Amino acid sequence: MKGRESGMPDRDYWESFFNPSCIVERLECSGLPGDIVEFGCGYGTFTIPTARLNFGTVYALDIEKELVSEAASNAVDAGLRNVVAESRDILADGCGRPDGSLDYAMLFNILHVENPISLLREAHRVLKPNGMVGIIHWRRDIPTPRGPSPDIRPTAEECRSWGEAAGLQFVRYESLCCCSWHWGLLMRRP
Ligand SMILES: C[S@@+](CC[C@H](N)C(=O)[O-])C[C@H]1O[C@@H](n2cnc3c(N)ncnc32)[C@H](O)[C@@H]1O
């Protein structure tokens, strides 16, 4: 089942909102030795810089087949061979990776779904001990040009408490000076 309010606008418009390389670096998603999963990858806006900045495989998952194809072809166009893009319902079926197998889980602009804690539990399941979870979302305290309705738009503090309910440990809130409409949060699997 597709998460509520998770449709995407045109790629150029969507990508005008972010400095993706800056965001992934600020959230410590670079120079990792192992593999990474991205829950709901969209066009691969964050997949591509992540794959550039890491040695391992980036598993880029999305329910929309067209977006998955686009993310895969964007990775090929960027000369990257470490992206595995897969069409998958992550809310119904999880991410399909083995327990304790990954270094990092990306939850970018996705935690407004109906059951965020189960997604965070799935991230916890697949991470190695000390594996990290990076979360970003649209701010609710200012007007933004895009993003889910304010009543379902989570704050960083809400996501932190959902992450803790899923067994993750708070690392820090990250100010995303390179992207003024978003907040960032880093958590880890103990
Ligand atoms: C708002 S977009 C964010 C895309 C990407 N993370 C980014 O920030 O550029 C949310 C994405 O989650 C995907 N999505 C929604 N429900 C899903 C599900 N059940 N399984 C997999 N992907 C899903 C949507 O298709 C969409 O591409």
Side-chain angles (χ1 to χ4, degrees), residues 5-7 9 13-14 17 109 112 137-139 144-150 152-153 181-182:
E5 295 192 36
S6 57
Y13 180 55
W14 179 252
F17 301 134
N109 299 305
H112 58 284
H137 221 311
W138 293 92
R139 289 172 58 179
T144 58
R146 187 78 203 175
S149 314
I152 62 163
R153 203 183 279 208
W181 288 305
H182 281 70

Side-chain angles (χ1 to χ4, degrees), residues 1 3 6 8 14 40 62-63 88-91 108-110:
M1 180 197 68
S6 57
M8 292 289 273
W14 179 252
D62 204 285
I63 196 168
R88 195 173 177 89
D89 183 343
I90 52 169
L91 298 179
F108 288 5
N109 299 305
I110 186 85

Side-chain angles (χ1 to χ4, degrees), residues 1-9 14-15 18 38-47 61-65 67 86-94 106-110 112-114 119 136-138 146-148 182:
M1 180 197 68
K2 187 166 176 172
R4 60 188 173 181
E5 295 192 36
S6 57
M8 292 289 273
W14 179 252
E15 295 192 343
F18 309 100
E38 183 174 11
F39 290 84
C41 64
Y43 297 109
T45 303
F46 296 94
T47 313
L61 313 175
D62 204 285
I63 196 168
E64 294 288 352
K65 289 192 171 61
L67 289 173
E86 190 187 324
S87 164
R88 195 173 177 89
D89 183 343
I90 52 169
L91 298 179
D93 305 324
M106 302 162 70
L107 287 161
F108 288 5
N109 299 305
I110 186 85
H112 58 284
V113 293
E114 288 80 352
L119 216 43
I136 70 164
H137 221 311
W138 293 92
R146 187 78 203 175
H182 281 70

Side-chain angles (χ1 to χ4, degrees), residues 49-63:
T50 298
R52 261 198 207 109
L53 290 165
N54 289 284
F55 298 110
T57 298
V58 183
Y59 294 94
L61 313 175
D62 204 285
I63 196 168

Side-chain angles (χ1 to χ4, degrees), residues 98-118:
D99 292 356
S101 60
L102 303 177
D103 278 5
Y104 199 102
M106 302 162 70
L107 287 161
F108 288 5
N109 299 305
I110 186 85
L111 281 184
H112 58 284
V113 293
E114 288 80 352
N115 192 348
I117 297 180
S118 73

